[in-house]
Amino acid sequence: MDEKIRSDFPVLNREGKPIIYLDSACQTLRPNQVIDKINEYYKEYPACGGRSLHKLGKMVDEKVIESRKRMQKFIGAKKSEEVIFTKNTTEGINIILNSLSLKSGDAVITTDKEHNSVLLPVQFLAKRKGIEHKITKSNDDGTFNLDKFQELLTPEVKLVSVVHTSNIDGFTNPAKEIVKAAHDNGSLVLLDGAQSVPHKEVDVKKLDVDFLAFSGHKMCGPSGTGILYGKYDLLKNMEPIFVGGETVSNSTYTTSEMENPPERFEPGLQNYAGMVGLAEAARYLQKIGMDKIQRHDVELNKYLTENARDLGLQILGPSDPGLRSGVFSFNIKGLDPHEIAIMLDHTNNIAVRSGMHCVHSWFNENEIKGSVRASMYFYNTKEEIETFISTLKEIIKLR
Amino acid sequence: MVACIIALIVLAFMALFSAKYRVWFREALSCVTRRFVLKSCNTGFDSKVKSVVTAKLLKKNVKMARFTHKYFEAISWIFMIIFVVSLVFTAYGLYNIAVYGSCDPQNPDMCVLTPGISSCSHECPEGNCQASMVPCDTCGCSGEECS
């Protein structure tokens, strides 16, 4: 990636000691183009959408329609009505899990590496509705075990909710095979695309996935934005969990007529600035090219893995960096992950994440205290990776 | 634990002047109170302090950083003891000031803090001293002019 791309990101060009941002799996940086689009809303058409007939209101409507279409193209959805704006992946997942009419005796399968945003809603459903929660175990190297998964597929399984790319180790589960096996069993599939959609081309039609949820803040978009995709026929038959303004076409004191998707699932005044900002982020990524982004992530991860080979790091996930996307999760024997993260920050302004990355269940099960996670994106460079490695070498001397 | 106590005292003072330190103060306070009731410090504050100090040293001297990282608890205890001893001496000094003032008992003319009595009668530049032994500021002379 060239310097021109880096110049789009104000944080990377600030005065003083440069920041090496390796925490993009948590939240990416935002380019000027996205920031400008957000400002544009507040400066030029800061009005309500979907309600007001004045010029500004109409302008908001047009921008929302454009943004929805942009997101539809970004994930390859059939129609824009299948794209629901949410505030993040967690909200999207909660909407699906609670809007499907799951009942006692039904079962939901998840993997053993699910983020709390999937695990907790499923746990709550198990407690409240008595659904069965089945967990499919990964192989020792973190890869997906399709045989074990298929063994769990029984007629009771109504939904398979799986993480597409793991935020622990960057491994991408074989979504197409999972979807096919689940559909053969008559089960629906919800894909957590928080870590996959920003880093590679994810086409919902090609995958034939029923639902997909992802966040804007992990793909250069504004905080508090996300997308929930759902096949239209499925969405049309689902009851929303949040209702209110704009989710109904009419109401009396005792009845209401629900709107069609996507409005049905977008209650109250929406985050219009966020919507246009997110669409701009999608446009920005597409302009660079999702293939190019994916290649760059993997290339950096390979470079990092090869050059860190002699450091004796305990790397989580597959040994092949080509299978770990832009995620490099590791531990140093004798040092606490949080200590390493703080020291990286205070020595060379290197921002990484440490801890259990909201996947406490997997770490607890494997009796690992946590890990340091360096996550790379298209704006990172080999020079930054070299600084990261040399700083790690210094930190390792503390043992 | 010891690092948390020291940090708590230092941060309590710094928190008076800056909101930035109030967050850390709260973390230190939580850590200390939990440890007093035999619970583990769940904010990771002690670990944060250790890492920040080690990182600063790491940029200057790796050996010193390694030593600090390895013996951080012991070093914290040393600082704690120094702190407590200093506190005792400070309290003793304050008690003496309160009881005896800041004048030298052997030489009552020599006062460090409280206004002293100086023989400035013959050196008063304006010649407006009313008595032979008056405080300096009474006659307008000060500092080295007074003996």
Short mmCIF file of all heavy atoms in Angstrom, two decimals, chain B residues 6-38:
data_model
loop_
_atom_site.label_atom_id
_atom_site.label_comp_id
_atom_site.label_asym_id
_atom_site.label_seq_id
_atom_site.Cartn_x
_atom_site.Cartn_y
_atom_site.Cartn_z
N ILE B 6 1.47 3.37 47.58
CA ILE B 6 2.29 4.55 47.27
C ILE B 6 1.57 5.41 46.21
O ILE B 6 1.43 6.61 46.35
CB ILE B 6 3.68 4.13 46.75
CG1 ILE B 6 4.44 3.39 47.85
CG2 ILE B 6 4.49 5.35 46.29
CD1 ILE B 6 5.72 2.75 47.39
N ALA B 7 1.11 4.71 45.17
CA ALA B 7 0.42 5.42 44.08
C ALA B 7 -0.81 6.14 44.61
O ALA B 7 -1.10 7.26 44.20
CB ALA B 7 0.03 4.44 42.99
N LEU B 8 -1.51 5.48 45.51
CA LEU B 8 -2.73 6.08 46.06
C LEU B 8 -2.42 7.41 46.74
O LEU B 8 -3.12 8.41 46.54
CB LEU B 8 -3.37 5.10 47.06
CG LEU B 8 -4.63 5.60 47.75
CD1 LEU B 8 -5.77 5.71 46.74
CD2 LEU B 8 -5.05 4.66 48.87
N ILE B 9 -1.35 7.42 47.54
CA ILE B 9 -1.01 8.63 48.27
C ILE B 9 -0.56 9.73 47.31
O ILE B 9 -1.01 10.88 47.39
CB ILE B 9 0.10 8.33 49.32
CG1 ILE B 9 -0.45 7.35 50.36
CG2 ILE B 9 0.58 9.61 49.99
CD1 ILE B 9 0.60 6.60 51.11
N VAL B 10 0.30 9.35 46.37
CA VAL B 10 0.79 10.35 45.40
C VAL B 10 -0.38 10.86 44.55
O VAL B 10 -0.54 12.06 44.34
CB VAL B 10 1.89 9.73 44.50
CG1 VAL B 10 2.30 10.71 43.41
CG2 VAL B 10 3.09 9.32 45.32
N LEU B 11 -1.20 9.92 44.08
CA LEU B 11 -2.30 10.31 43.20
C LEU B 11 -3.38 11.11 43.92
O LEU B 11 -4.04 11.96 43.32
CB LEU B 11 -2.92 9.07 42.55
CG LEU B 11 -2.04 8.37 41.51
CD1 LEU B 11 -2.61 7.02 41.13
CD2 LEU B 11 -1.87 9.23 40.26
N ALA B 12 -3.54 10.85 45.22
CA ALA B 12 -4.52 11.61 45.99
C ALA B 12 -4.15 13.08 45.94
O ALA B 12 -5.03 13.96 45.83
CB ALA B 12 -4.53 11.11 47.43
N PHE B 13 -2.86 13.35 46.00
CA PHE B 13 -2.40 14.73 45.94
C PHE B 13 -2.56 15.29 44.52
O PHE B 13 -3.11 16.37 44.31
CB PHE B 13 -0.92 14.78 46.38
CG PHE B 13 -0.34 16.16 46.32
CD1 PHE B 13 -0.71 17.13 47.26
CD2 PHE B 13 0.57 16.51 45.34
CE1 PHE B 13 -0.18 18.41 47.21
CE2 PHE B 13 1.10 17.79 45.26
CZ PHE B 13 0.73 18.75 46.20
N MET B 14 -2.12 14.50 43.53
CA MET B 14 -2.17 14.97 42.13
C MET B 14 -3.60 15.11 41.63
O MET B 14 -3.90 15.97 40.79
CB MET B 14 -1.39 14.01 41.23
CG MET B 14 0.10 14.04 41.54
SD MET B 14 0.99 12.78 40.66
CE MET B 14 1.30 13.61 39.13
N ALA B 15 -4.48 14.26 42.16
CA ALA B 15 -5.88 14.30 41.73
C ALA B 15 -6.57 15.60 42.12
O ALA B 15 -7.59 15.98 41.54
CB ALA B 15 -6.64 13.11 42.31
N LEU B 16 -5.98 16.30 43.09
CA LEU B 16 -6.56 17.58 43.49
C LEU B 16 -6.46 18.60 42.36
O LEU B 16 -7.27 19.51 42.24
CB LEU B 16 -5.82 18.13 44.73
CG LEU B 16 -5.98 17.36 46.03
CD1 LEU B 16 -5.05 17.94 47.09
CD2 LEU B 16 -7.42 17.42 46.51
N PHE B 17 -5.44 18.43 41.54
CA PHE B 17 -5.16 19.43 40.51
C PHE B 17 -5.55 19.00 39.10
O PHE B 17 -5.71 19.85 38.23
CB PHE B 17 -3.66 19.78 40.54
CG PHE B 17 -3.20 20.25 41.89
CD1 PHE B 17 -2.50 19.39 42.72
CD2 PHE B 17 -3.52 21.51 42.35
CE1 PHE B 17 -2.09 19.80 43.98
CE2 PHE B 17 -3.12 21.92 43.61
CZ PHE B 17 -2.40 21.08 44.43
N SER B 18 -5.64 17.71 38.85
CA SER B 18 -5.93 17.29 37.48
C SER B 18 -6.91 16.10 37.44
O SER B 18 -6.73 15.12 38.17
CB SER B 18 -4.62 16.89 36.79
OG SER B 18 -4.90 16.23 35.58
N ALA B 19 -7.91 16.23 36.56
CA ALA B 19 -8.91 15.16 36.43
C ALA B 19 -8.28 13.88 35.88
O ALA B 19 -8.76 12.78 36.13
CB ALA B 19 -10.02 15.62 35.49
N LYS B 20 -7.19 14.05 35.12
CA LYS B 20 -6.51 12.90 34.51
C LYS B 20 -6.10 11.89 35.59
O LYS B 20 -6.20 10.68 35.39
CB LYS B 20 -5.28 13.42 33.77
CG LYS B 20 -4.39 12.37 33.18
CD LYS B 20 -3.15 13.02 32.60
CE LYS B 20 -2.05 12.00 32.38
NZ LYS B 20 -0.79 12.65 31.97
N TYR B 21 -5.65 12.42 36.72
CA TYR B 21 -5.15 11.54 37.77
C TYR B 21 -6.26 10.97 38.65
O TYR B 21 -6.03 10.07 39.42
CB TYR B 21 -4.13 12.29 38.64
CG TYR B 21 -2.91 12.70 37.85
CD1 TYR B 21 -2.69 14.03 37.52
CD2 TYR B 21 -1.99 11.75 37.42
CE1 TYR B 21 -1.59 14.42 36.76
CE2 TYR B 21 -0.88 12.12 36.66
CZ TYR B 21 -0.69 13.46 36.34
OH TYR B 21 0.39 13.83 35.60
N ARG B 22 -7.48 11.55 38.50
CA ARG B 22 -8.58 11.06 39.34
C ARG B 22 -8.98 9.64 38.97
O ARG B 22 -9.36 8.85 39.81
CB ARG B 22 -9.77 12.02 39.25
CG ARG B 22 -9.56 13.21 40.15
CD ARG B 22 -10.57 14.31 39.97
NE ARG B 22 -9.90 15.59 40.20
CZ ARG B 22 -10.25 16.74 39.67
NH1 ARG B 22 -11.30 16.79 38.88
NH2 ARG B 22 -9.59 17.84 39.91
N VAL B 23 -8.90 9.35 37.68
CA VAL B 23 -9.23 7.98 37.23
C VAL B 23 -8.25 7.00 37.84
O VAL B 23 -8.63 5.96 38.38
CB VAL B 23 -9.17 7.90 35.68
CG1 VAL B 23 -9.53 6.51 35.20
CG2 VAL B 23 -10.10 8.93 35.05
N TRP B 24 -6.98 7.35 37.76
CA TRP B 24 -5.94 6.47 38.32
C TRP B 24 -6.09 6.37 39.84
O TRP B 24 -5.88 5.32 40.42
CB TRP B 24 -4.55 7.01 37.98
CG TRP B 24 -4.24 6.97 36.53
CD1 TRP B 24 -5.03 6.46 35.54
CD2 TRP B 24 -3.08 7.46 35.89
NE1 TRP B 24 -4.42 6.61 34.33
CE2 TRP B 24 -3.22 7.22 34.51
CE3 TRP B 24 -1.92 8.10 36.33
CZ2 TRP B 24 -2.25 7.59 33.58
CZ3 TRP B 24 -0.96 8.45 35.40
CH2 TRP B 24 -1.12 8.21 34.04
N PHE B 25 -6.45 7.50 40.45
CA PHE B 25 -6.64 7.51 41.90
C PHE B 25 -7.73 6.52 42.29
O PHE B 25 -7.59 5.74 43.22
CB PHE B 25 -6.99 8.93 42.37
CG PHE B 25 -7.43 9.00 43.80
CD1 PHE B 25 -6.52 8.86 44.83
CD2 PHE B 25 -8.77 9.19 44.13
CE1 PHE B 25 -6.93 8.91 46.16
CE2 PHE B 25 -9.20 9.24 45.44
CZ PHE B 25 -8.26 9.10 46.47
N ARG B 26 -8.83 6.55 41.52
CA ARG B 26 -9.94 5.63 41.81
C ARG B 26 -9.50 4.18 41.67
O ARG B 26 -9.85 3.33 42.46
CB ARG B 26 -11.12 5.92 40.87
CG ARG B 26 -12.12 6.87 41.49
CD ARG B 26 -13.31 7.10 40.59
NE ARG B 26 -13.45 8.52 40.36
CZ ARG B 26 -13.39 9.12 39.18
NH1 ARG B 26 -13.22 8.42 38.11
NH2 ARG B 26 -13.53 10.42 39.08
N GLU B 27 -8.69 3.93 40.64
CA GLU B 27 -8.20 2.56 40.43
C GLU B 27 -7.30 2.14 41.59
O GLU B 27 -7.42 1.03 42.10
CB GLU B 27 -7.40 2.48 39.12
CG GLU B 27 -8.26 2.36 37.90
CD GLU B 27 -7.45 2.02 36.65
OE1 GLU B 27 -6.49 1.24 36.75
OE2 GLU B 27 -7.78 2.55 35.59
N ALA B 28 -6.43 3.04 42.00
CA ALA B 28 -5.52 2.74 43.11
C ALA B 28 -6.32 2.51 44.39
O ALA B 28 -6.05 1.58 45.15
CB ALA B 28 -4.54 3.88 43.30
N LEU B 29 -7.34 3.35 44.59
CA LEU B 29 -8.16 3.22 45.79
C LEU B 29 -8.89 1.89 45.80
O LEU B 29 -8.92 1.18 46.82
CB LEU B 29 -9.17 4.38 45.84
CG LEU B 29 -10.07 4.46 47.07
CD1 LEU B 29 -9.23 4.74 48.31
CD2 LEU B 29 -11.12 5.55 46.90
N SER B 30 -9.44 1.54 44.65
CA SER B 30 -10.14 0.26 44.54
C SER B 30 -9.19 -0.90 44.83
O SER B 30 -9.53 -1.84 45.57
CB SER B 30 -10.74 0.14 43.14
OG SER B 30 -10.96 -1.20 42.80
N CYS B 31 -8.00 -0.78 44.28
CA CYS B 31 -7.00 -1.84 44.45
C CYS B 31 -6.63 -2.00 45.94
O CYS B 31 -6.64 -3.10 46.48
CB CYS B 31 -5.77 -1.47 43.63
SG CYS B 31 -4.57 -2.77 43.50
N VAL B 32 -6.36 -0.86 46.59
CA VAL B 32 -5.94 -0.91 48.00
C VAL B 32 -7.07 -1.44 48.89
O VAL B 32 -6.86 -2.30 49.73
CB VAL B 32 -5.49 0.50 48.47
CG1 VAL B 32 -5.28 0.53 49.97
CG2 VAL B 32 -4.21 0.89 47.76
N THR B 33 -8.28 -0.93 48.67
CA THR B 33 -9.39 -1.37 49.52
C THR B 33 -9.68 -2.87 49.34
O THR B 33 -9.99 -3.56 50.30
CB THR B 33 -10.67 -0.56 49.25
OG1 THR B 33 -10.89 -0.52 47.84
CG2 THR B 33 -10.59 0.84 49.78
N ARG B 34 -9.56 -3.32 48.10
CA ARG B 34 -9.78 -4.76 47.86
C ARG B 34 -8.71 -5.60 48.56
O ARG B 34 -9.00 -6.63 49.14
CB ARG B 34 -9.81 -5.08 46.36
CG ARG B 34 -11.10 -4.67 45.68
CD ARG B 34 -11.09 -5.09 44.23
NE ARG B 34 -11.16 -6.53 44.07
CZ ARG B 34 -12.30 -7.23 44.03
NH1 ARG B 34 -13.45 -6.61 44.13
NH2 ARG B 34 -12.27 -8.54 43.88
N ARG B 35 -7.48 -5.11 48.49
CA ARG B 35 -6.40 -5.89 49.11
C ARG B 35 -6.53 -5.89 50.62
O ARG B 35 -6.16 -6.86 51.29
CB ARG B 35 -5.03 -5.33 48.69
CG ARG B 35 -4.70 -5.56 47.22
CD ARG B 35 -4.62 -7.03 46.85
NE ARG B 35 -3.42 -7.66 47.37
CZ ARG B 35 -2.29 -7.79 46.69
NH1 ARG B 35 -2.22 -7.34 45.45
NH2 ARG B 35 -1.25 -8.37 47.23
N PHE B 36 -7.07 -4.80 51.20
CA PHE B 36 -7.24 -4.76 52.65
C PHE B 36 -8.28 -5.77 53.13
O PHE B 36 -8.24 -6.21 54.27
CB PHE B 36 -7.62 -3.35 53.11
CG PHE B 36 -6.41 -2.51 53.43
CD1 PHE B 36 -6.16 -1.32 52.75
CD2 PHE B 36 -5.50 -2.91 54.39
CE1 PHE B 36 -5.04 -0.57 53.02
CE2 PHE B 36 -4.37 -2.15 54.68
CZ PHE B 36 -4.13 -0.98 54.00
N VAL B 37 -9.22 -6.10 52.25
CA VAL B 37 -10.21 -7.11 52.64
C VAL B 37 -9.85 -8.47 52.03
O VAL B 37 -10.71 -9.32 51.79
CB VAL B 37 -11.65 -6.70 52.26
CG1 VAL B 37 -12.13 -5.55 53.11
CG2 VAL B 37 -11.77 -6.34 50.79
N LEU B 38 -8.57 -8.61 51.73
CA LEU B 38 -7.99 -9.87 51.26
C LEU B 38 -8.55 -10.36 49.93
O LEU B 38 -8.63 -11.54 49.66
CB LEU B 38 -8.13 -10.96 52.33
CG LEU B 38 -7.50 -10.65 53.68
CD1 LEU B 38 -7.79 -11.74 54.68
CD2 LEU B 38 -5.99 -10.43 53.56
#
